[in-house]
Amino acid sequence: QSVLTQPPSVSGAPGQRVTISCTGSSSNIGAGYDVHWYQQLPGTAPKLLIYGNSNRPSGVPDRFSGSKSGTSASLAITGLQAEDEADYYCQSYDSSLSGSKFGGGTKLTVL
Amino acid sequence: EVQLVQSGAEVKKPGESLKISCKGSGYSFTSYWIGWVRQMPGKGLEWMGIIYPGDSDTRYSPSFQGQVTISADKSISTAYLQWSSLKASDTAMYYCARHLGAARIFDYWGQGTLVTVSS
């Protein structure tokens, strides 16, 4: 069981909005450590999608947004497109491990 | 342009040793941490550890401490991940990625190296 808990799967129709949650604890997200999100398209390396809870690297569409509150964080994707179908991972530092951890990952299916 | 180029796929037998590589270019290799991430078949990402090529300071995830060795040769801008005795359970895709220490994020990733361990 991951230190950071994500739903195994979410789905949505093209054009819709979906959210992916990442639930942590007092030793990671709740301790104030930043949450980052990665997108992994099928058969490719992960790509940084959101950093520092809500910041987008250059080139990432503003359809992707992140937020954090308490011991949880969320990734929201609006205006779903077929190309968004991928696995999404959250990541945060955990003081009990003295290192970072990834969430278990969420598979997004675009219906 | 920042690039991380990893060595090719490997097929090994249990008990054999292995060292895979990750060559960085397009940035100051000694000024950024490099990390390794494991992805077992059909599974999620696992943070293995990071190294600072400037002084070889290395940090391991407790899950991987003692199981692998992370090293770097700054003269050729290359980081390494090695095993002294492979197990079938080491079969996975291994990614290297540039790690921004203060922010603790992986901003650029290599293409991955598939390691298959089978008798």
Side-chain angles (χ1 to χ4, degrees):
Chain A
Q1 188 171 0
S2 290
V3 170
L4 302 175
T5 302
Q6 299 180 232
S9 64
V10 297
S11 62
Q16 285 190 330
R17 177 181 187 270
V18 296
T19 61
I20 298 172
S21 62
C22 175
T23 302
S25 67
S26 58
S27 63
N28 42 67
I29 300 174
Y33 295 110
D34 285 341
V35 178
H36 320 295
W37 292 89
Y38 300 85
Q39 177 193 58
Q40 186 176 32
L41 296 169
T44 69
K47 166 192 163 185
L48 180 63
L49 193 66
I50 297 287
Y51 68 95
N53 306 314
S54 58
N55 301 291
R56 286 186 307 277
S58 174
V60 173
D62 59 7
R63 301 186 296 104
F64 296 91
S65 63
S67 64
K68 173 188 154 183
S69 178
T71 58
S72 295
S74 289
L75 172 70
I77 310 171
T78 58
L80 262 184
Q81 299 180 3
E83 67 205 49
D84 299 332
E85 194 160 281
D87 293 322
Y88 293 84
Y89 296 90
C90 61
Q91 179 213 343
S92 185
Y93 182 83
D94 192 290
S95 58
S96 68
L97 302 171
S98 296
S100 288
K101 287 288 285 188
F102 290 100
T106 298
K107 181 175 182 59
L108 168 64
T109 300
V110 180
L111 302 171
Chain B
E1 178 194 8
V2 174
Q3 282 195 311
L4 295 171
V5 178
Q6 298 185 230
S7 50
E10 302 274 2
V11 179
K12 292 289 191 179
K13 290 181 168 38
E16 291 186 332
S17 63
L18 176 64
K19 192 174 189 177
I20 62 176
S21 66
C22 168
K23 183 173 177 60
S25 63
Y27 72 100
S28 174
F29 187 75
T30 54
S31 299
Y32 293 84
W33 295 78
I34 287 277
W36 289 94
V37 175
R38 182 175 80 174
Q39 187 167 38
M40 299 177 75
K43 301 298 183 183
L45 305 176
E46 298 176 89
W47 194 96
M48 300 178 71
I50 54 174
I51 186 166
Y52 190 75
D55 62 6
S56 293
D57 186 8
T58 309
R59 317 282 172 84
Y60 292 93
S61 162
S63 299
F64 292 93
Q65 178 83 48
Q67 307 304 309
V68 297
T69 301
I70 295 172
S71 61
D73 184 340
K74 61 185 179 183
S75 69
I76 55 173
S77 301
T78 300
Y80 301 97
L81 178 66
Q82 70 180 89
W83 296 259
S84 59
S85 181
L86 286 160
K87 301 184 287 286
S89 57
D90 292 317
T91 294
M93 181 72 82
Y94 293 89
Y95 295 101
C96 68
R98 193 176 77 165
H99 185 266
L100 300 187
R104 302 189 179 103
I105 60 174
F106 291 116
D107 62 346
Y108 290 92
W109 293 67
Q111 83 277 19
T113 296
L114 181 62
V115 174
T116 303
V117 183
S118 174
S119 55

